[in-house]
Amino acid sequence: FVFTAGPTQIQGRDAFLAAGQWPDNAETVLLADAYEGGHGFQLYEAPNGDNTVRIAEQMTREGDKITASDVIADSAAFGAFMTG
């Protein structure tokens, strides 16, 4: 896994989550995914203590690279999840 945005490049899933200050005790579970042509969809659930957030991501792929990604989550649920 490599994340690149402008001059920023992060190698590895754990490094990416750490850069976003993802809670150490949180687990991320893939609930559903679907792919067709150059488009993909993933739905995750992430519990942290008593708080859980669902995150949907729609991706566009060209060749072997993700060229666009839209992430959608309930902001109140995400804020509660981040604080545990």
Side-chain angles (χ1 to χ4, degrees):
F1 175 89
V2 177
F3 172 82
T4 304
T8 302
Q9 186 174 69
I10 302 172
Q11 302 257 347
R13 179 183 181 274
D14 291 336
F16 175 78
L17 293 175
Q21 299 178 341
W22 197 256
D24 289 335
N25 296 328
E27 294 186 27
T28 305
V29 179
L30 179 65
L31 299 177
D33 60 338
Y35 308 93
E36 184 175 327
H39 300 280
F41 161 83
Q42 296 177 333
L43 178 64
Y44 293 94
E45 184 172 81
N48 182 24
D50 292 333
N51 300 301
T52 299
V53 64
R54 283 193 170 187
I55 301 168
E57 182 174 13
Q58 188 275 327
M59 298 159 285
T60 303
R61 177 183 56 84
E62 292 180 16
D64 62 349
K65 297 189 185 292
I66 295 174
T67 56
S69 173
D70 291 308
V71 178
I72 301 166
D74 177 288
S75 59
F78 185 77
F81 159 81
M82 290 299 286
T83 60

